[in-house]
Amino acid sequence: MKLGSPFRPRLLSALLISIFLGSAPATPAQERGELRIATSYKLMTLDPQYANLNENTSLLSHIYERLVYQDENLELKPGLATSWRPLSDTQWAFKLRDKVRFHDGSAFDADDVVYTIERIRDFLKPPSGGFRSYVSGIKSVSAPDPLTVLIETDGAVPNLPLFFSSIFVMNRPAEGFETTEDLNAGHPPNGTGPYRFESWSSGESLRLARNDDYWGGKPAWSKVTFRVIENPAARVAALSTGEVDVADAIPARDVASLKERGARVASVGAARVNFVQFDVARDTLPGVTDKSGEPIANPFKNPLVRRALTLATDRGILVDKILAGYGTAAAQVFPNGLPGTSANLLPEAPNYDEAKMLLAKAGFPDGFNLVLAGPAGRYPGDAESLQAVAQSWARIGVNAQPAAAPFSVFNTKRAAGDYGVWYGGTSGEAVDIILHSLLASPDPERGTGALNFGKYRNEAFDAMLARAESIAVGPERNAALAQATELVMADQPIIPLYHFHHIVGYGSRISSYVLHPRGWTTAMQTLPAME
């Protein structure tokens, strides 16, 4: 897959291959002591297969590795697997890298891959099944020899190698499956990655030590410490004072001042979308009332209401003012130009008069009240975006009360059904993966709808998406995904807001920071300065 030019990082592919495969090998002159990173990512678990969230996949990628990884153009490259090929429509063979060892000294082989797939598919259950959709179509997996994995699927799964670019490989224990509770309770994480686990304090820090025996070359940093700093201003301050060497998720408004204080900044367009999502399933919703404060029937079940709120959303303010130009207005789940996107879907300017007409037609001529929930400090401009959207909606009589909370609180309340409408974000390896998890009808057996918290259902879209996913990677598949996207976005189950740019700041001890559109924050992206 190839990114469109607005989102192609201006970096050397060879450099990224060395970095994202594992770690850029260090020369003696480049070796440094401790790398200190201030991150917005709050590691929630030491189980690498528990939840498909960037805070977990980003930080745990130091310890664990994948069979396949994606480079800066989202192209697939060898990881723990050196090659892969389809044997038939329903069979794949993966050849594994030789002479790779886990941190405890045991050899990596095909049995570990078999265990990884079976643990996700058969053992972990929702809500701990965040990766289950990637393996739900696997009928059987076997290891004919230590360096070969054979996979049989229930039907054609042409995107199977892409799925493995998200799954960390775990070491098979002597018996049974490791539980998430055991991993969080002190069983040392045992991966093949460039750094070894030292300690973890949930919500505070993660400490790592260099894996001197790493198959991909000796990492540059002897120690790595991640400090969880959820407040953006505090991350900026820590970088400005030299307390840390790298700070991620820098607000666009702080870029100029950071540069004035001697820090350097890197940015890249994100392969992700931020959006407003509606609960369209329940009959009544918390926080949604008429103007007198009395509960009303769920207005978001009516597509006219969803369309009205879309027309009343000013994306230009979000991109130009809140993101200071470090973003792109959105009309679909990935930026235009990426494989699977539709050239026909373009962001619309707000049309408040038409929005009011649609609200009146839907039975809400005077509007209504609602609570607009969202996380604070997780995404660039998230709390400010809530305020801006609320101000836009007020122009058509919809009084939205912004309710921002730390992501851990927001995520828990959203899962509990405490919200009727909320701001969120998601990223993925490809358009179809986001469509599969965010907009497809929730179905635990098929693994669809894992992020469809609004319980939106559209059988026509489900059928179009399933057809697109059955087509081999290429132009025909991309066209089918674009058509499915056009169909579902016409129904407005979400309001795409923007594709923000990842912004990272770094200090004098760093020569360069290599950004990736997936938004990972790792020591492997950080090259030490030469003395």
Side-chain angles (χ1 to χ4, degrees):
M1 289 174 284
K2 185 177 181 182
L3 282 171
S5 58
F7 298 90
R8 178 186 294 275
R10 291 184 284 272
L11 303 165
L12 294 175
S13 295
L15 180 61
L16 269 164
I17 287 173
S18 67
I19 290 172
F20 287 104
L21 188 57
S23 177
T27 65
Q30 286 178 309
E31 289 186 17
R32 295 295 183 269
E34 181 183 14
L35 173 67
R36 305 158 302 167
I37 300 177
T39 182
S40 59
Y41 290 143
K42 182 178 180 180
L43 183 63
M44 296 182 173
T45 176
L46 293 178
D47 186 340
Q49 297 165 357
Y50 181 84
N52 190 8
L53 297 170
N54 251 14
E55 49 262 69
N56 295 330
T57 58
S58 179
L59 300 185
L60 292 179
S61 67
H62 296 79
I63 301 168
Y64 296 96
E65 295 183 289
R66 307 167 175 92
L67 292 179
V68 182
Y69 84 100
Q70 286 182 297
D71 69 6
E72 84 282 11
N73 296 320
L74 303 188
E75 297 282 358
L76 299 182
K77 301 295 181 182
L80 290 176
T82 57
S83 64
W84 50 89
R85 64 188 179 94
L87 303 179
S88 69
D89 285 346
T90 59
Q91 290 183 316
W92 286 82
F94 286 76
K95 291 294 183 180
L96 305 183
R97 194 174 296 277
D98 196 8
K99 299 179 181 179
V100 175
R101 292 196 171 273
F102 286 93
H103 296 161
D104 67 357
S106 60
F108 159 72
D109 62 25
D111 282 341
D112 300 305
V113 179
V114 173
Y115 169 78
T116 291
I117 293 171
E118 291 179 343
R119 182 175 187 264
I120 296 172
R121 185 192 63 187
D122 305 332
F123 180 69
L124 293 179
K125 305 296 181 184
S128 57
F131 296 90
R132 198 176 184 195
S133 62
Y134 298 129
V135 299
S136 60
I138 294 177
K139 182 178 180 180
S140 65
V141 54
S142 60
D145 65 64
L147 296 179
T148 303
V149 176
L150 294 181
I151 294 175
E152 184 175 356
T153 58
D154 289 320
V157 185
N159 239 13
L160 189 65
L162 177 65
F163 293 166
F164 284 122
S165 70
S166 287
I167 294 174
F168 288 124
V169 175
M170 294 180 66
N171 183 220
R172 179 188 284 277
E175 58 182 35
F177 293 103
E178 285 189 281
T179 67
T180 300
E181 291 73 21
D182 286 342
L183 288 166
N184 288 337
H187 287 202
N190 184 29
T192 60
Y195 290 92
R196 301 171 183 267
F197 174 82
E198 279 203 339
S199 66
W200 170 55
S201 179
S202 180
E204 295 181 9
S205 65
L206 173 68
R207 289 183 170 83
L208 306 166
R210 179 168 56 202
N211 176 13
D212 288 331
D213 298 322
Y214 180 56
W215 63 267
K218 189 176 180 180
W221 305 95
S222 61
K223 299 277 187 181
V224 178
T225 297
F226 284 90
R227 287 177 51 193
V228 178
I229 304 178
E230 293 187 87
N231 183 278
R235 286 196 302 278
V236 170
L239 178 62
S240 299
T241 59
E243 293 178 39
V244 298
D245 304 303
V246 177
D248 66 15
I250 297 296
R253 64 176 178 271
D254 293 318
V255 168
S257 63
L258 270 178
K259 288 181 177 179
E260 289 174 359
R261 285 176 277 182
R264 284 172 289 176
V265 172
S267 70
V268 68
R272 63 172 305 121
V273 66
N274 284 71
F275 53 85
V276 171
Q277 190 172 35
F278 304 102
D279 184 324
V280 299
R282 290 180 286 176
D283 293 332
T284 58
L285 299 173
V288 179
T289 70
D290 62 18
K291 289 300 184 67
S292 65
E294 294 298 318
I296 59 175
N298 182 354
F300 308 129
K301 286 188 174 186
N302 192 329
L304 293 178
V305 173
R306 302 195 298 266
R307 176 64 180 155
L309 292 174
T310 299
L311 285 172
T313 301
D314 190 342
R315 296 172 177 87
I317 288 178
L318 302 178
V319 171
D320 297 335
K321 303 297 184 182
I322 296 174
L323 299 180
Y326 284 91
T328 306
Q332 52 192 314
V333 298
F334 261 14
N336 287 39
L338 289 178
T341 57
S342 169
N344 298 322
L345 292 176
L346 301 173
E348 298 176 275
N351 188 329
Y352 300 108
D353 291 336
E354 184 177 349
K356 288 180 181 179
M357 291 175 56
L358 290 174
L359 270 189
K361 188 175 180 180
F364 299 98
D366 299 321
F368 50 89
N369 299 335
L370 59 84
V371 173
L372 178 60
R378 178 172 176 80
Y379 308 114
D382 48 14
E384 296 92 335
S385 293
L386 288 179
Q387 296 283 347
V389 171
Q391 291 171 10
S392 290
W393 289 358
R395 297 184 61 170
I396 63 170
V398 175
N399 296 329
Q401 176 186 345
F407 179 72
S408 56
V409 175
F410 164 78
N411 199 37
T412 299
K413 288 190 172 185
R414 179 177 59 180
D418 290 354
Y419 304 134
V421 56
W422 54 88
Y423 161 100
T426 188
S427 62
E429 304 86 344
V431 163
D432 52 303
I433 289 182
I434 292 188
L435 294 176
H436 191 91
S437 62
L438 183 64
L439 297 175
S441 300
D443 186 337
E445 291 304 314
R446 292 181 55 233
T448 57
L451 300 179
N452 185 352
F453 298 108
K455 301 298 187 291
Y456 172 76
R457 294 182 180 275
N458 186 325
E459 292 183 0
F461 167 69
D462 291 340
M464 291 183 71
L465 179 60
R467 177 186 171 277
E469 292 178 321
S470 71
I471 302 171
V473 173
E476 184 182 354
R477 180 189 181 94
N478 292 338
L481 288 170
Q483 291 170 4
T485 300
E486 290 172 8
L487 177 88
V488 74
M489 291 315 305
D491 205 23
Q492 301 287 178
I494 63 170
I495 303 176
L497 297 178
Y498 52 77
H499 313 287
F500 66 72
H501 293 182
H502 298 298
I503 308 175
V504 169
Y506 55 97
S508 60
R509 296 180 68 234
I510 310 302
S511 66
S512 65
Y513 187 89
V514 183
L515 275 161
H516 192 278
R518 293 285 302 280
W520 297 318
T521 301
T522 75
M524 294 82 78
Q525 296 164 258
T526 308
L527 300 183
M530 302 290 288
E531 291 185 346

